Amino acid sequence: MTELGDLIEIDDRTVLVLGQELDVEHGQPDVANALVHRVGDTLVLVDTGVTEAFRAALREAADRVGPWSRALLLTTHGHLDHVGNNDLADELGVPAEHYVPAPDLDQMRDPVSYWLRSFDRIAGFAPMPAPPALTGKLVPLFRPMRPFGATTRTYEELPLEQIRIGSLRFIGWTFADGAVRVLRSQGHCAGHVIVHLADCGVLHLSDEGNGPCGAMADADQLKLQTVLGAAALLFEEGGATLLTDGHTFAVRRGAEAVPYLDGLLEQATALQGAALGLTGESGPTGESGSVRPSTFTHRYLEAFAALGGGGANPSAMFTAMMAANQLRELGLRPESDGPDAPWSRPALHHPTG
């Protein structure tokens, strides 16, 4: 068992600060893990979580990896559980830089609208409060919420670079003379990046490793699964040796990483096959009928559990969001605007004459 703010020492210059799972009913926000690293005289913080208790743990970890005379804060994406203490960069007493992804600025400024959009898609899918009530319970849990500081800029204000790691090519940005690499991934949400710390071999997936399929309204399944495959190859080639993420409260070392990443990809393909079966399309001769999303979601939950799926913050809410994305990935669309209206595959109309 781990507790909020526990520290895992990766080496004498690198610490993983552990977060906690979401528990809406008991008023507990989820808090994403953060990485604290020193390269030369630069303190590198990857995400800042949320809550005052986690802020204190970040300060403890920063002291542990010192000494440093400048700071670099890197935000992997704009979700509430990753950005609440971003103004910490202003309090370190040294010159600091802070970067966030430009596609996530709107959700960082207005998280209520962002989460309403995500929850609206599952109204009627699962037994949970209506989206306004659910959002009203969820968003206020994340306090204090300070996603911007005096030095905040977007990554996109910097020139894009092609970054080569072994045989792999990424697009992103480098810092600290190339020792810190921020790689665009954009699977979990629109602005998501992952971080590679070259001198200690850590690849931090943040929330790209949350599960086999993305749950958010702005998730991109192809990008998410592509980055998981690229990460597995990076470990096979020795370009990374330690895997961390936003919500697994552990460090995967060496040979553990590839089977874990392959397992997520295997779950993704198995879930897609199961979803086809639930819509009556289990093979090339399957006939598509309509499916009610509430029924589909219930059975999808069962299929996900049978495959050993879990991911970060496992809950009916996030799995319902995955189910909505899975229906769209299969090409199904709602037949009307009703909350539990049937979904079906649109007919293909061929021109005549």
Side-chain angles (χ1 to χ4, degrees):
M1 296 292 292
T2 64
E3 295 186 4
L4 178 69
D6 282 354
L7 306 182
I8 296 180
E9 187 171 296
I10 294 173
D11 59 33
D12 61 355
R13 294 181 296 130
T14 314
V15 173
L16 182 68
V17 186
L18 301 187
Q20 67 184 8
E21 291 188 352
L22 177 68
D23 187 345
V24 177
E25 293 307 313
H26 293 91
Q28 174 177 293
D30 59 321
V31 179
N33 301 333
L35 268 177
V36 179
H37 175 66
R38 179 175 59 82
V39 53
D41 65 348
T42 300
L43 173 70
V44 182
L45 302 173
V46 182
D47 289 338
T48 62
V50 67
T51 75
E52 293 289 1
F54 196 74
R55 190 185 191 93
L58 288 173
R59 295 299 300 259
E60 180 184 347
D63 291 341
R64 184 176 295 194
V65 303
W68 33 266
S69 58
R70 61 185 62 248
L72 173 67
L73 171 54
L74 305 171
T75 293
T76 62
H77 62 292
H79 287 165
L80 296 166
D81 53 318
H82 292 255
V83 303
N85 291 311
N86 277 357
D87 66 328
L88 178 61
D90 300 339
E91 299 180 0
L92 295 173
V94 297
E97 299 175 75
H98 173 216
Y99 294 93
V100 301
D104 289 353
L105 285 177
D106 287 345
Q107 63 155 298
M108 295 168 74
R109 293 189 183 107
D110 184 8
V112 170
S113 295
Y114 177 82
W115 286 95
L116 270 175
R117 181 163 64 98
S118 291
F119 292 151
D120 274 340
R121 300 175 308 128
I122 59 170
F125 278 38
M128 58 184 63
L134 183 56
T135 306
K137 289 180 68 175
L138 180 72
V139 172
L141 297 180
F142 296 84
R143 293 289 183 269
M145 180 49 53
R146 305 183 188 108
F148 305 112
T151 62
T152 304
R153 298 173 61 194
T154 62
Y155 295 111
E156 287 75 8
E157 294 174 53
L158 305 174
L160 270 175
E161 305 170 48
Q162 183 184 135
I163 301 168
R164 298 187 63 165
I165 309 175
S167 67
L168 292 164
R169 275 81 165 168
F170 297 94
I171 296 295
W173 302 271
T174 60
F175 301 90
D177 296 322
V180 178
R181 296 149 171 177
V182 173
L183 313 174
R184 297 177 81 186
S185 56
Q186 300 181 332
H188 177 69
C189 66
H192 202 290
V193 299
I194 63 176
V195 177
H196 182 241
L197 303 177
D199 55 350
C200 64
V202 170
L203 179 68
H204 186 68
L205 283 181
S206 192
D207 285 9
E208 300 292 23
N210 273 13
C213 302
M216 307 310 299
D218 55 342
D220 187 310
Q221 309 300 336
L222 175 60
K223 290 178 180 177
L224 188 155
Q225 291 154 15
T226 298
V227 79
L228 292 177
L233 181 55
L234 190 61
F235 277 90
E236 286 180 334
E237 293 188 347
T241 55
L242 299 165
L243 180 68
T244 59
D245 61 42
H247 295 279
T248 298
F249 307 128
V251 177
R252 289 184 172 84
R253 300 176 182 271
E256 297 175 281
V258 174
Y260 171 72
L261 295 164
D262 281 344
L264 289 175
L265 291 170
E266 288 162 6
Q267 281 187 17
T269 57
L271 270 174
Q272 194 266 356
L276 277 175
L278 296 176
T279 62
E281 300 177 309
S282 56
T285 60
E287 296 183 3
S288 174
S290 63
V291 58
R292 288 202 176 273
S294 58
T295 302
F296 176 86
T297 298
H298 176 72
R299 294 175 178 170
Y300 187 82
L301 275 163
E302 294 177 341
F304 190 46
L307 289 167
N313 298 313
S315 70
M317 176 179 71
F318 286 117
T319 309
M321 292 161 68
M322 285 175 53
N325 283 348
Q326 187 77 78
L327 284 170
R328 288 202 172 272
E329 281 287 297
L330 295 178
L332 278 67
R333 297 294 182 267
E335 296 175 3
S336 71
D337 294 332
D340 194 28
W343 288 47
S344 60
R345 192 176 298 280
L348 299 179
H349 298 285
H350 298 283
T352 58

